[in-house]
Each structure stands twice: as structure tokens, then as C-alpha cells.
Amino acid sequence: MDPWPHRQPAHGTCRLTAAASGHDESYATAAERALAATGWEPERAERVRAFYRHRTEEQCGAEVEQVAAHGLDEDSIEGDEVIFPGGYDVLPRSLARGLDVRLGMTVTAITRSAAGVRVDTEDESFEAAHVIVTVPLGVLKAGAIEFTPPLPDAVAGPIVRLGMGVFNKVFLRFPDRFWQDDVYAIRQHGRAGVPWHSWYDVSVVSGRRGGLVGPRRPP
């Protein structure tokens, strides 16, 4: 039930758009250049333009003007689509098995020296040969952790430039499945599809028929 008559050309143009984009060029700019080179009639070009916009919102939670073209050049995921019925915390719990994990400790500073690394928290300090920092991007942007010496430009620069997408998902469950069994996505392009343009069938992964999820970037 995908009313997209030019699906393959659109994806092909997506790949050409990303490959031909310049450094730090927005996806919107690269897309307009690629569309201009196709010579397509305005109606078809506008449908592809809408596809780009929806695709960016859906994958990045951002406007097409805010995302670098190469940021969408990773649209290939290998393997089966799987879920974790018990929640995603099974991953960190499995990795943490046998480790000394301290919870509720807020890190305030990380100091590197020839002797190693010192991590200061609000309560105590820890020393080690190496440290891996995996805090959220927002913590780094806020400067909540003081790094000594300061992070190199190759790291600090991207922290400043990177943005965080905002994404909402709405799950709907119907008493009966009203779409065909071989339909994975229901999409509405054009003006009518601006608020909610894509709905995905989650019947298989959830084990319950009649389930749809609609991702949307908040206005």
C-alpha cells in the first residue's frame, strides 16, 4: 500500500545525491542539485522531494536542511530485524556481568596524564590506565564533565556541530488487520502525509496482529 510509483528511481537518486555531495553540504541542497539534473517534470520531482523530506525526518528526527547529505549515506542494514522482548537492558546487563559497576555516581572531571587517567566524581576519585567515555551527547555539549587537557579539536568540534534528533512514535493496535499480509509499510505522500506519512506493520516483531507504529518528528 505504498503509493510511491517511482520507488527505485527515488532510492537511486538518494544514493547519487549522497555520493555527489560536498563536505558539510545539507541533504536539501544536494537533493535539489540532483533533482535539477534529472530533467523530471515538476510533479514527479516534487514527489521525490517529499520522499527525501519524510525519509530524513523518519531516520534522523530532523529537517532535511539540518542533515548533512552523507549523514544519510548509511541506508543499508544487514541481517534480520529483531527485538528484545525483555527490553534493551539485556545488552548492558550481559556486558556488565562480572564487572564492578558503580551506579548513582556523577562524573565531574576526567584528567589525563603520563601516569594514566583520573576520574573524579562528586564523592570519590578513580585511577586507571585508560578510560572509555560513553556519556550522551547532551552531557558533552553542556560541559558537565571537565576534561584536562581539553578534548582535541577533532573531538570537540564534532561535539559542537552535531545535533540531536527529536522523535515520537505512536503505536496503534486494531482488532483486525485491514492491510494485506505482504504489506510492511503504509505511506501517504504529498500534503496529506505531512503530519504522519509512514506507518509500519509491527505484527511480526510484536507477535500480535493488527499493530502499526507511526514515527514522527514533533513540530
Side-chain angles (χ1 to χ4, degrees):
M1 294 174 72
D2 186 347
W4 180 253
H6 309 298
R7 187 171 181 81
Q8 287 303 117
H11 278 290
T13 308
C14 283
R15 289 190 290 270
L16 292 175
T17 297
S21 63
H23 181 66
D24 287 341
E25 186 175 40
S26 74
Y27 201 71
T29 301
E32 287 303 320
R33 187 177 63 254
L35 287 173
T38 63
W40 289 342
E41 64 275 11
E43 181 180 356
R44 182 179 182 184
E46 180 56 33
R47 290 177 67 86
V48 175
R49 189 176 291 110
F51 171 82
Y52 285 154
R53 182 175 63 253
H54 295 330
R55 178 173 178 264
T56 307
E57 294 174 353
E58 187 173 290
Q59 295 192 3
C60 304
E63 299 288 350
V64 68
E65 294 83 8
Q66 298 174 312
V67 177
H70 281 283
L72 284 180
D73 199 16
E74 304 172 353
D75 197 25
S76 177
I77 301 176
E78 297 181 358
D80 296 330
E81 182 173 2
V82 298
I83 62 171
F84 295 85
Y88 280 98
D89 63 340
V90 297
L91 290 177
R93 288 181 182 276
S94 177
L95 294 173
R97 190 175 296 118
L99 300 179
D100 180 12
V101 178
R102 310 289 181 90
L103 302 177
M105 305 187 72
T106 303
V107 174
T108 58
I110 299 176
T111 303
R112 293 179 293 128
S113 66
V117 185
R118 187 183 76 246
V119 177
D120 296 322
T121 73
E122 294 178 338
D123 303 311
E124 56 183 307
S125 299
F126 302 89
E127 294 185 354
H130 305 281
V131 63
I132 299 175
V133 180
T134 60
V135 297
L137 178 61
V139 174
L140 297 174
K141 282 182 170 292
I145 299 176
E146 180 182 359
F147 290 91
T148 305
L151 294 174
D153 291 341
V155 177
I159 290 175
V160 174
R161 296 191 300 270
L162 280 173
M164 294 172 286
V166 181
F167 209 63
N168 289 337
K169 288 184 179 180
V170 172
F171 290 84
L172 301 178
R173 186 180 179 189
F174 298 92
D176 298 301
R177 178 179 177 133
F178 59 84
W179 57 96
Q180 295 91 331
D181 288 339
D182 60 345
V183 169
Y184 170 69
I186 302 175
R187 294 187 174 95
Q188 175 66 56
H189 292 278
R191 184 176 299 276
V194 172
W196 299 94
H197 51 79
S198 297
W199 293 90
Y200 292 95
D201 179 17
V202 293
S203 301
V204 175
V205 296
S206 67
R208 299 177 178 180
R209 289 178 59 84
L212 290 176
V213 57
R216 181 193 182 193
R217 179 181 180 274

